[in-house]
């Protein structure tokens, strides 16, 4: 690989870079919705992993994105890194592990497009990323550092995650957190709740689904009091996604909701990632939307459209929209 030159030159070339950290894996999705894994006759292989989906979403919308994570030195690992590159994602932060496999997940699609997961990662390469292997130069070139919570479950990846996050924070980079609760991967519900909340107050921006609010607060997600129990001083924006109903937003100065878009849902995989990616593209361009409600509402309308479009096709990355497709849905719905 050609030398990258100094960090300042690279940062100047990528002023709105979003670096995503965490896992990328292969989802095996049944070719027929509404059947159990045991009943399924065949599976479609699809790239997955929330932080990687976000990186691809950003790039597909014309933003600048990079991914930091570890893959098995196997056919699936090389295929995934190729997919990142083909989707315009900077893969300088990608590493291969000679001794561990790339993670796999079998995903059951219920007839309404909702999912259940069964994971194969014991341990998978993404879990074995160490602090010493981090590409901190790449992370420090970012405007936004984005991560989930799956990378917090086991060592050494947990320490790598925390070191990367601290490096980003000390460089004045905006930290974006979408916990993406996947209970089958945690030892217990209590461990999941504690692990996810352990880094809660490091973030500048947090996106959670209504189900995740219910899980984290052990209360009703529609009750604003429960949502606001997740707020803390220093947070710039808290978003709760409510599926097809749209989303709610909270800043220290204002709060409200933005309605969603009605589409024919096939598979909800990646909808939240399309939402987050599209919002991060806009925040990277103009972070004044944390303080400007009108700008924020416009950005959230666009994010709702991106999330909705992503549910109309199977798989996450293949279903990610372009700007033109999202704007078409917005203008069609306005008529």
């Amino acid at each position: 690989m050609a030398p990258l030159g100094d960090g300042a030159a690279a940062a100047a070339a990528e002023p709105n870079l979003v670096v995503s950290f965490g896992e990328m894996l292969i989802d095996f999705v049944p070719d027929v919705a509404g059947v159990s894994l045991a009943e399924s006759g065949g599976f479609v292989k699809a790239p997955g992993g929330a932080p990687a989906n976000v990186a691809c979403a950003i790039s597909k919308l014309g933003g600048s994105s990079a991914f930091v994570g570890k893959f098995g030195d196997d056919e699936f690992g090389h295929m995934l890194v190729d997919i990142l590159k083909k989707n315009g994602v900077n893969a300088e932060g990608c590493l291969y592990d000679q001794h561990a496999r790339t993670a796999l997940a079998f995903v059951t699609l219920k007839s309404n497009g909702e999912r259940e997961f069964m994971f194969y990662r014991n341990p998978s390469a993404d879990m074995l990323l160490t602090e010493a292997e981090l590409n901190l130069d790449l992370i420090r070139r970012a405007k936004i550092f984005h991560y989930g919570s799956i990378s917090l479950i086991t060592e050494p990846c947990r320490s790598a995650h925390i070191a990367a996050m601290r490096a980003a924070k000390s460089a004045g980079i905006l930290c974006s957190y979408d916990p993406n609760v996947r209970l089958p991967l945690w030892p217990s519900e209590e461990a999941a709740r504690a692990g996810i909340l352990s880094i809660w107050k490091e973030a500048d921006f947090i996106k959670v689904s209504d189900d995740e609010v219910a899980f984290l607060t052990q209360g009703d997600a529609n009750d604003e009091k429960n949502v606001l129990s997740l707020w803390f001083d220093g947070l710039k924006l808290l978003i709760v996604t409510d599926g097809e109903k749209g989303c709610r937003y909270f800043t220290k100065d204002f709060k409200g909701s933005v309605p969603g878009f009605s589409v024919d849902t096939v598979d909800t995989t990646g909808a939240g990632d399309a939402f987050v990616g599209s919002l991060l593209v806009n925040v990277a361009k103009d972070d004044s939307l944390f303080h400007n409600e009108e700008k924020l509402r416009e950005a959230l309308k666009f994010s709702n459209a991106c999330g909705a479009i992503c549910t109309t096709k199977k798989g996450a990355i293949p279903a990610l929209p372009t700007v033109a497709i999202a704007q078409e849905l917005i203008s069609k719905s306005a008529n």
Side-chain angles (χ1 to χ4, degrees):
M1 199 184 280
L4 291 160
D6 64 52
E14 306 168 286
N16 299 330
L17 178 65
V18 181
V19 173
S20 277
F21 174 90
E23 71 287 346
M24 188 177 191
L25 57 146
I26 305 275
D27 285 337
F28 285 92
V29 185
D31 51 10
V32 178
V35 297
S36 70
L37 290 179
E39 292 162 344
S40 183
F43 294 89
V44 177
K45 188 172 81 221
N53 294 342
V54 168
C56 291
I58 288 164
S59 177
K60 203 155 176 191
L61 293 166
S64 172
S65 70
F67 183 75
V68 173
K70 202 172 195 185
F71 300 80
D73 192 3
D74 50 37
E75 283 208 25
F76 285 151
H78 288 275
M79 175 192 122
L80 290 175
V81 174
D82 270 356
I83 286 167
L84 287 174
K85 290 176 179 169
K86 283 190 182 115
N87 280 278
V89 176
N90 174 329
E92 279 171 58
C94 296
L95 298 158
Y96 294 100
D97 192 297
Q98 307 281 320
H99 308 292
R101 295 282 191 213
T102 300
L104 309 177
F106 285 83
V107 185
T108 312
L109 280 184
K110 297 185 197 163
S111 45
N112 64 355
E114 288 295 337
R115 304 147 302 158
E116 285 170 357
F117 294 89
M118 184 161 81
F119 293 93
Y120 286 76
R121 48 197 310 264
N122 54 331
S124 52
D126 59 287
M127 301 159 75
L128 301 175
L129 180 68
T130 66
E131 189 176 337
E133 291 171 318
L134 287 171
N135 186 332
L136 291 176
D137 175 54
L138 174 62
I139 291 166
R140 290 189 182 112
R141 275 160 35 204
K143 179 144 185 202
I144 299 172
F145 181 60
H146 174 73
Y147 47 86
S149 69
I150 288 171
S151 40
L152 296 170
I153 298 172
T154 48
E155 291 293 358
C157 191
R158 178 182 165 80
S159 291
H161 179 137
I162 287 166
M165 193 173 63
R166 298 263 154 88
K169 276 192 88 66
S170 61
I173 291 157
L174 213 60
C175 285
S176 160
Y177 186 23
D178 177 359
N180 252 305
V181 176
R182 295 285 178 268
L183 285 179
L185 294 176
W186 292 86
S188 66
E189 286 197 9
E190 291 68 30
R193 211 173 277 114
I196 287 162
L197 293 173
S198 69
I199 61 163
W200 197 256
K201 293 189 175 172
E202 304 284 341
D204 297 293
F205 159 61
I206 296 174
K207 173 254 160 192
V208 276
S209 68
D210 48 357
D211 289 346
E212 288 163 345
V213 170
F215 172 70
L216 291 169
T217 65
Q218 296 176 273
D220 178 2
N222 294 312
D223 184 341
E224 199 169 285
K225 193 165 86 266
N226 290 326
V227 177
L228 289 174
S229 72
L230 297 171
W231 180 265
F232 59 89
D233 277 347
L235 187 59
K236 293 181 169 68
L237 176 64
L238 173 64
I239 299 281
V240 179
T241 53
D242 291 307
E244 62 195 23
K245 291 192 301 222
C247 65
R248 288 171 276 167
Y249 59 88
F250 302 85
T251 75
K252 75 178 180 8
D253 301 318
F254 49 78
K255 63 182 182 183
S257 62
V258 179
F261 294 88
S262 188
V263 292
D264 293 330
T265 295
V266 174
D267 176 8
T268 57
T269 309
D273 306 325
F275 178 98
V276 171
S278 56
L279 188 54
L280 294 182
V281 167
N282 282 314
V283 172
K285 275 195 281 207
D286 180 8
D287 62 8
S288 75
L289 55 73
F290 290 140
H291 314 289
N292 181 321
E293 189 168 11
E294 196 182 330
K295 276 187 191 172
L296 177 62
R297 289 184 65 85
E298 270 308 297
L300 291 174
K301 188 202 288 184
F302 181 71
S303 292
N304 281 342
C306 288
I309 290 159
C310 195
T311 70
T312 61
K313 275 192 202 159
K314 270 191 195 162
I317 293 171
L320 294 168
T322 59
V323 172
I325 291 170
Q327 282 171 343
E328 190 187 337
L329 177 61
I330 291 168
S331 55
K332 228 171 36 192
S333 302
N335 295 337

